[in-house]
Amino acid sequence: MNDIRTITLDLDDTLWEIHPVIRRAEERLYAWIGEHYPRITERFAPEDIHEVRLEVFAEYRDRSHDLTFMRRTVLSRIATAAGYDDSYVDDAFAVFEEARNDVTLYPEARPALVSLRERYVLIAVTNGNANLEKIGIRDLFDGVVSAVMAGAAKPARPIFDMAVAAGGASAAQTLHVGDHPFYDVHGARDAGLRAVWVNRKGDDWPDEYPVPDAEVQNIGELQRLLEEG
């Protein structure tokens, strides 16, 4: 990997664990709604809202890459059903967004990013709606590419093409690093990038996909991997 010039990095479950964050954010949002718009929580339990979310995703398949749009649409729909208008959506989404961006970086993440940026162009690539300014790591990246910006989510090629363009090197000189075998590794390889799988839990690689160029337990191992070539 001596010719790598750009590293594109997944965020959720690569730099921080996301599932507890989303769960906490949804709990805070539900409590806030119950306090300010009680008819909604009287009518919709959390599992009912989940069903509404499934309906929205089925209805707007062409916008499934835009998680902010999807969540705001769900908020609007449950408000209308409970007899409110949707004027609360901005405030409600702000409650969720604040908690969604209250993440705890894996211990090795920040030092690794600082070190890697001394030698490589770093581009964040995400299907989600993390706000790197709010999280406090935007200064460690040269660019950010999201599914909304690309009009498509990983593993689709457009988001990787946009990331390559943002990094300024060729696809072959770009290394994508992420935790998901399909969305990250398979998607990147299909788009012509090199790919490293972040396998924190020691999982077996799924047989249905070609193996990644390399495997690490966390991004703290990337520097050594790249130095070894």
Side-chain angles (χ1 to χ4, degrees), residues 125 154-165 176 183-184 187-188 191 193:
V125 184
K154 296 177 295 183
R157 180 161 186 155
I159 190 170
F160 289 106
D161 287 344
M162 180 174 282
V164 169
H176 182 68
Y183 296 123
D184 288 305
L193 288 73

Side-chain angles (χ1 to χ4, degrees), residues 101-218:
N101 288 295
D102 182 12
V103 305
T104 300
L105 296 175
Y106 291 127
E108 77 286 345
R110 182 180 291 275
L113 292 173
V114 170
S115 178
L116 290 167
R117 195 163 183 234
E118 293 178 356
R119 294 181 55 191
Y120 305 96
V121 174
L122 300 187
I123 306 295
V125 184
T126 180
N127 283 354
N129 48 14
N131 185 320
L132 298 190
E133 294 282 0
K134 291 180 180 293
I135 292 170
I137 57 171
R138 179 61 183 86
D139 61 308
L140 301 180
F141 288 91
D142 298 283
V144 179
V145 174
S146 69
V148 173
M149 294 167 60
K154 296 177 295 183
R157 180 161 186 155
I159 190 170
F160 289 106
D161 287 344
M162 180 174 282
V164 169
S170 68
Q173 294 172 314
T174 302
L175 175 69
H176 182 68
V177 180
D179 70 289
H180 202 283
F182 180 57
Y183 296 123
D184 288 305
V185 177
H186 178 68
R189 294 287 296 274
D190 265 8
L193 288 73
R194 312 287 283 278
V196 169
W197 182 34
V198 178
N199 182 14
R200 300 191 73 91
K201 298 179 180 179
D203 294 332
D204 293 330
W205 179 256
D207 293 336
E208 61 265 35
Y209 307 126
V211 297
D213 292 283
E215 176 181 331
V216 295
Q217 187 175 16
N218 59 66

Side-chain angles (χ1 to χ4, degrees), residues 57 60-67 69-70 127 147 153:
F57 269 84
Y60 294 98
R61 293 183 186 278
D62 60 329
R63 298 195 64 176
S64 61
H65 61 279
D66 188 343
L67 299 183
F69 167 80
M70 291 296 183
N127 283 354

